[in-house]
Amino acid sequence: MKVAILSGSVYGAAEEVARHVKQLLGDASYEVFFNPRARLADIQAFAPDAFLAVTSTTGMGELPDNLMPLYSEIRDVLPAAWRGLPGAVIALGDSSYGDTYCGGGQLLTELFAELGLREVLPMLKLDASESVTPESDCEIWVKSLINALGK
Ligand SMILES: Cc1cc2nc3c(=O)[nH]c(=O)nc-3n(C[C@H](O)[C@H](O)[C@H](O)COP(=O)(O)O)c2cc1C
């Protein structure tokens, strides 16, 4: 199975989580696409069977700049070939931001719904005010993702 990781990061924490998940999925024999500056054409060329978003939140509930071009392209096109594919979201945020906590992950969850992706697991929220080890914190959730995706 081919999994495309869509990743947004300002200071690198979400990118590190995405790299770690790429490794875990690779160890489980998935073929993984991950490029923090990916554009729509790159993802379409990869022809994924499943999607994983790993993004932090910046500003007041906004997406990191590196994900904005891809996010906008996907929203404009809403590729019909992706409809019905499995998808899941890992959101890094900080609960001290209150209402905008994990707003970036929320935007990706909404985009996945617009695309008609099948949400195979509830969004994982990684709270920077609770833990400084988001990479190890995501591992149990990633195991559940692997179970949900199958081979
Ligand atoms: C300027 C700034 C604004 C932020 N705004 C939010 C926010 O609105 N909601 C939230 O949940 N986290 C917010 N955060 C917290 C980050 O999302 C969190 O620290 C995350 O782990 C950073 O990941 P990154 O290194 O991949 O950017 C903000 C952080 C900064 C520095």
Side-chain angles (χ1 to χ4, degrees), residues 5-69:
I5 299 179
L6 317 185
S7 161
S9 182
V10 180
Y11 300 104
E15 194 170 320
E16 282 308 310
V17 171
R19 277 185 207 288
H20 186 54
V21 175
K22 179 186 180 195
Q23 179 74 46
L24 295 172
L25 293 178
D27 292 347
S29 302
Y30 292 90
E31 193 181 330
V32 183
F33 174 94
F34 169 59
N35 169 357
R37 310 233 157 251
R39 300 299 295 261
L40 177 58
D42 305 320
I43 306 222
Q44 286 177 316
F46 177 69
D49 304 304
F51 287 83
L52 174 65
V54 183
T55 187
S56 66
T57 300
T58 190
M60 292 300 288
E62 286 142 39
L63 287 171
D65 280 350
N66 75 300
L67 189 52
M68 282 311 293

